[in-house]
């Protein structure tokens, strides 16, 4: 019985699978735009790349948080939660600014 319990302790939880799956799907979907030639990453303004860095950091935080919650590392989970609060504030403010600029420059994405 101990071997069964050990095997289950290394299995991913639903939330870990969900966060990993969602992160992989989002990264794969955005890489398709460059791979298919819909967008040329070298011609995109730097602040749009900064938007991408912010959003990928949000995805990484989501995945990491699911692992810390499963490990019951509550102190680190809560500390990263406060970092997430700061990050989501940055994401909202920065994304509104990027959206206003893109609309003003008439540079809406093709989709």
């Amino acid at each position: 019985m101990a071997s069964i319990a050990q095997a289950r302790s290394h299995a991913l939880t639903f939330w870990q699978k969900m966060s990993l799956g969602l992160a992989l799907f989002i990264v794969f979907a955005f890489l398709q735009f460059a791979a298919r030639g819909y967008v040329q990453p070298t011609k995109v303004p730097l602040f749009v790349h900064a938007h991408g860095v912010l959003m990928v950091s949000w995805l990484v935080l989501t995945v990491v948080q699911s692992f810390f919650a499963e490990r019951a590392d509550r102190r680190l989970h809560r500390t990263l939660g406060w970092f997430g609060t700061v990050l989501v504030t940055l994401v909202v403010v920065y994304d509104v600014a990027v959206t206003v600029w893109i609309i003003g420059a008439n540079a809406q994405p093709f989709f």
Side-chain angles (χ1 to χ4, degrees):
M1 290 295 192
S3 62
I4 294 173
Q6 273 184 328
R8 287 187 181 166
S9 69
H10 295 295
L12 294 177
T13 66
F14 169 78
W15 296 111
Q16 290 170 323
K17 291 176 190 175
M18 183 63 78
S19 64
L20 278 170
L22 184 62
L24 289 172
F25 175 78
I26 289 170
V27 169
F28 177 76
F30 275 97
L31 287 176
Q32 292 296 307
F33 294 137
R36 294 179 181 199
Y38 292 141
V39 68
Q40 295 174 340
T42 56
K43 294 188 178 185
V44 175
L46 187 59
F47 67 88
V48 177
H49 286 289
H51 157 78
V53 169
L54 271 175
M55 298 311 292
V56 168
S57 64
W58 179 255
L59 279 175
V60 169
L61 182 65
T62 302
V63 172
V64 168
Q65 281 288 65
S66 69
F67 280 88
F68 285 137
E70 190 274 330
R71 274 189 11 196
D73 192 347
R74 303 230 188 269
R75 187 183 64 74
L76 191 52
H77 181 74
R78 287 182 181 147
T79 302
L80 284 176
W82 285 108
F83 174 72
T85 303
V86 172
L87 184 61
V88 76
T89 304
L90 282 171
V91 164
V92 169
V93 170
Y94 193 80
D95 288 356
V96 167
V98 169
T99 302
V100 167
W101 181 88
I102 286 176
I103 290 171
N106 199 24
Q108 291 86 356
F110 60 90
F111 52 85

